[in-house]
Amino acid sequence: MAERTFVMIKPDGVQRGLIGEIIKRLERVGLKPVAMKFIRMSREQAEKLYAVHKGKPFYESLIEYVTSGPVVVSVREGPKAIEIVRKIIGATDPAKAAPGTIRGDFALDISHNVIHASDSKESFEYEHKIFFSEDEIVKRERIDEKRLI
Ligand code: CMP
């Protein structure tokens, strides 16, 4: 099975009308969506998602912000999906994110950085289960993949 990763378009990305642009960038490098939802996450889900940051100075404002409006959560599939998505989204701090990356092109500051994605297989396993049950992940093949065989 190809690698999977968890991707979330954050409230600022949704509010600024960037859903289509972000999905386009992920799709054109062949990262297939296998699950996607438009949700307003609960405080409990936010605390789970960002549990590793509990106690850090930005934790409370991060939880408040990520629950402040709708987000798009998704699971993407493709070879080396985790590494490729991290490259496409760019560094956490937009000041360090290269031009051409999603954050480099659109993020306003480190708190409003448009998108989140898993940084390892372990974080994917943990993160996607907060939002998706196993039967919500769709098994599929893309038409162009079939033609390559
Ligand atoms: P994300 O990839 O979603 O993971 C944790 C988030 O915390 C990060 O993106 C940032 O949006 C947010 N954050 C806010 N302040 C900081 C900070 N000083 N260092 C790291 N992350 C921060």
Side-chain angles (χ1 to χ4, degrees):
M1 186 176 68
E3 191 169 271
R4 287 176 176 169
T5 191
F6 170 76
V7 180
M8 173 176 75
I9 304 174
K10 296 184 177 184
D12 57 316
V14 173
Q15 201 181 353
R16 291 168 61 206
L18 295 172
I19 297 173
E21 175 68 32
I22 291 169
I23 290 177
K24 184 180 84 181
R25 289 183 183 213
L26 296 172
E27 266 191 324
R28 73 182 178 193
V29 293
L31 289 160
K32 293 187 299 190
V34 289
M36 199 178 314
K37 280 182 195 174
F38 183 73
I39 58 160
R40 175 101 179 243
M41 83 169 78
S42 65
R43 184 169 175 103
E44 193 191 356
Q45 286 174 316
E47 285 180 349
K48 252 192 199 167
L49 180 64
Y50 287 123
V52 291
H53 297 295
K54 197 167 176 141
K56 294 184 184 167
F58 59 85
Y59 176 76
E60 269 310 318
S61 59
L62 175 62
I63 299 300
E64 216 168 281
Y65 155 66
V66 86
T67 54
S68 67
V71 298
V72 179
V73 287
S74 65
V75 177
R76 305 251 149 200
E77 190 177 282
K80 299 198 172 183
I82 294 169
E83 194 182 331
I84 290 170
V85 171
R86 298 286 290 183
K87 237 180 224 164
I88 290 173
I89 75 176
T92 308
D93 182 353
K96 295 186 182 120
T101 63
I102 292 170
R103 286 167 172 163
D105 289 351
F106 301 113
L108 301 175
D109 56 61
I110 197 163
S111 304
H112 305 90
N113 63 355
V114 182
I115 187 163
H116 165 87
S118 307
D119 60 6
S120 65
K121 285 182 185 175
E122 294 69 34
S123 60
F124 163 70
E125 283 306 324
Y126 176 80
E127 291 171 352
H128 85 280
K129 286 179 184 154
I130 302 168
F131 304 98
F132 297 99
S133 61
E134 219 36 55
D135 61 6
E136 287 177 311
I137 299 178
V138 179
K139 287 189 180 56
R140 54 170 289 215
E141 272 180 1
R142 277 177 22 164
I143 189 107
D144 53 340
E145 285 173 335
K146 276 188 187 157
R147 284 185 187 146
L148 289 173
I149 294 168

